[in-house]
Amino acid sequence: MNYKTVLLLCAAWIGLNTAVLAQPLNIVFIMSDDHATNAISAYGSHLTSVFKTPHIDRLAEEGMRMDRTYCVNAICTPSRASILTGQYGHINGVKTLGDAIPPDSINVAELLQKGGYETALIGKWHLKTEPFGFDYWKVGPGQGKYHDPTFAEIGTPYQTRSGGKKVEGYYTDLVTDYALEWLEDRPADKPFALFLHHKAPHGKWEPAKRHEDFLEDVEIPEPASLWEDYSHRSEASRNYGTSISHRLADRRNMIDDVSSDRWPTQQIDMTGLTEKEQTKAAYQKYLKDYLRCVKAVDENVGRVLDYLDEEGLTENTLVVYTSDQGMFLGEHDYFDKRWIFEEAFRMPFIARLPGRIQAGSTTDLLGANIDFAPTLLEAVGLPIPNAMQGESFLKILETGKAPTGWRESVYYRYWMHLRGHHIPGHFGVRTDRYKLIFYYGLGLGATGADKEQTPAGWELYDLKNDPEEVNNVYGQSKYEAVSERLKRELKRLKEQYVDSDEPFPDLQKVIAESWN
Ligand code: CA
């Protein structure tokens, strides 16, 4: 069945005049890597006074900004797999950075392609298996390099970590060049779905030459939780992770990073500085290089929007801006992501479609990255396969109202126990007001996960009274009923998403000891 047949069937089904469908909907899905909502001025944060993203903000002004969209595992490869498949990692097989997506996975791009769309992937893939479901792809192997990167193209061998042809220029600019070239040359008789995936602002942070001095003389405001007192935390999380400061002995930290030759731009000399001054200096350096990388992403979003305007495509193109997950920018004294805390867990999601999505609208309704694929499919009138675990939030985008039976919670699971940034395996649930976290502290044989067991523990945050999550209230009698209710919800979600503990006797033991 091609897209015209599908559209005609849809039109007949919903009683539309087929003339309305003369111009089928196109999709431009722009996804950056590790772009925190705090670094998008449309979202507003302590950074907004010194840093703006005017082009991404334009999308929000002309479309809807979703304020509570979450990734179900806050790390690159698994989030990308969940976005493509609409499934959790334990279903699609991508639970950690070490897993490759099976080539027979259900895939939104392939479904669009089969539905008559011309599909393209340009930029970062990071799913190990050769890209599939795209009529055209051009990707930077692995993480890709910021300056003079290499790209592999459809029809040439795909290699996971290296390979491809070296090109002069800056990654963020180049992938936009390639995307616009592809749009220019695409078949005129088909609608298109373009997946434009930036490498930026993933570390190591190497700004474009034109942004090397951007923010140089600016003092970047600090988040209050940079100086978090960890005494409220459970033993299961207190001494884990990586930090800006030297808080965690013998662990990777930003002070050492920015003062060593591992850092790709001018290093900071920490000689003679107190510990607090070193933390402040490391924070400034990290944020400036990160925001410089974001600056180029924002400019290039503007180039895409301008192109759509010039070509008369704006009116019938759904444009999405998102990121594979958020990022800690010094909040909780963290960098990186992976934890269920808001700054990593929350994703930007902004969508524009004139006439169907109200300009300048926002929503607090919960969304998740497993919902993206169903939403795109429903937006273009294609069926949503039952195998997808997410649900379409198109109705939220179009009306601001929740579909019947809409999610009242999001289930999260981080599998890559201790590997990389020393973060324990955990799962949790977030509702409108609360977040309950259970750190089980086991690798469970997940690819690349560590075998060492860490303490189990619970944390509960009341996000209404404590939006920064600096006051764990688990165990307080006032919150006992809430904890019990959320534990039941956690169990219900695990059943709903078929995330069974049965294959893991070690986990069952920890749960039996801790779950009361
Ligand atoms: Ca990422």
Side-chain angles (χ1 to χ4, degrees), residues 261-425:
D261 56 13
R262 289 196 304 276
W263 198 260
T265 63
Q266 181 71 48
Q267 297 151 30
I268 302 285
D269 182 4
M270 297 285 182
T271 315
L273 299 184
T274 64
E275 169 64 23
K276 185 160 190 181
E277 287 166 343
Q278 291 184 43
T279 302
K280 284 174 163 288
Y283 170 78
Q284 291 293 320
K285 180 62 178 166
Y286 166 40
L287 263 285
K288 285 181 185 183
D289 280 342
Y290 176 90
L291 294 173
R292 286 163 181 151
C293 291
V294 173
K295 181 80 176 161
V297 173
D298 185 61
E299 288 173 354
N300 279 286
V301 168
R303 290 178 64 204
V304 174
L305 299 183
D306 288 348
Y307 178 86
L308 297 176
D309 286 345
E310 286 156 16
E311 297 298 313
L313 290 165
T314 299
E315 296 302 313
N316 66 322
T317 302
L318 170 64
V319 182
V320 169
Y321 183 82
T322 188
S323 170
D324 58 352
Q325 82 287 310
M327 186 76 176
F328 294 105
L329 302 176
E331 300 90 354
H332 308 284
D333 192 16
Y334 290 148
F335 62 99
D336 202 70
K337 50 262 180 178
R338 302 170 191 239
W339 297 97
I340 192 178
F341 296 110
E342 288 292 285
E343 293 83 0
F345 181 34
R346 185 188 188 204
M347 315 166 82
F349 192 94
I350 300 171
R352 183 188 75 178
L353 181 55
R356 284 176 65 181
I357 299 177
Q358 194 188 333
S361 54
T362 63
T363 183
D364 276 341
L365 291 165
L366 294 169
N369 59 350
I370 53 169
D371 301 331
F372 294 2
T375 302
L376 295 182
L377 291 171
E378 191 188 7
V380 303
L382 287 171
I384 301 164
N386 288 333
M388 288 190 171
Q389 297 181 301
E391 289 177 60
S392 168
F393 53 66
L394 185 69
K395 185 179 176 188
I396 299 176
L397 295 177
E398 293 190 330
T399 68
K401 294 189 173 62
T404 310
W406 188 244
R407 63 167 72 253
E408 291 183 358
S409 59
V410 179
Y411 173 62
Y412 180 87
R413 183 154 190 182
Y414 176 70
W415 287 88
M416 208 169 167
H417 180 64
L418 298 186
R419 186 58 62 93
H421 286 259
H422 215 71
I423 293 153

Side-chain angles (χ1 to χ4, degrees), residues 32-35 74-77 79-80 124 126 143 199 202 323-327 337:
S32 53
D33 193 327
D34 296 2
H35 192 180
I75 186 166
C76 307
T77 304
S79 178
R80 285 158 194 273
K124 190 168 176 182
H126 208 211
Q143 294 286 8
K199 151 188 180 55
H202 193 285
S323 170
D324 58 352
Q325 82 287 310
M327 186 76 176
K337 50 262 180 178

Side-chain angles (χ1 to χ4, degrees), residues 179-247:
L180 299 185
E181 282 164 20
W182 179 81
L183 284 171
E184 198 64 29
D185 296 339
R186 75 187 194 278
D189 60 341
K190 289 169 81 179
F192 64 84
L194 167 65
F195 292 79
L196 170 52
H197 294 184
H198 289 283
K199 151 188 180 55
H202 193 285
K204 300 175 175 178
W205 298 277
E206 297 181 43
K209 293 261 182 289
R210 65 184 181 280
H211 296 138
E212 279 175 354
D213 297 326
F214 175 60
L215 298 168
E216 189 58 33
D217 300 322
V218 173
E219 176 83 11
I220 310 291
E222 293 167 359
S225 67
L226 175 59
W227 309 104
E228 176 175 347
D229 172 356
Y230 269 66
S231 57
H232 71 98
R233 289 285 191 98
S234 73
E235 195 193 348
S237 82
R238 189 179 300 133
N239 298 317
Y240 294 89
T242 46
S243 55
I244 305 287
S245 74
H246 283 134
R247 180 173 59 81

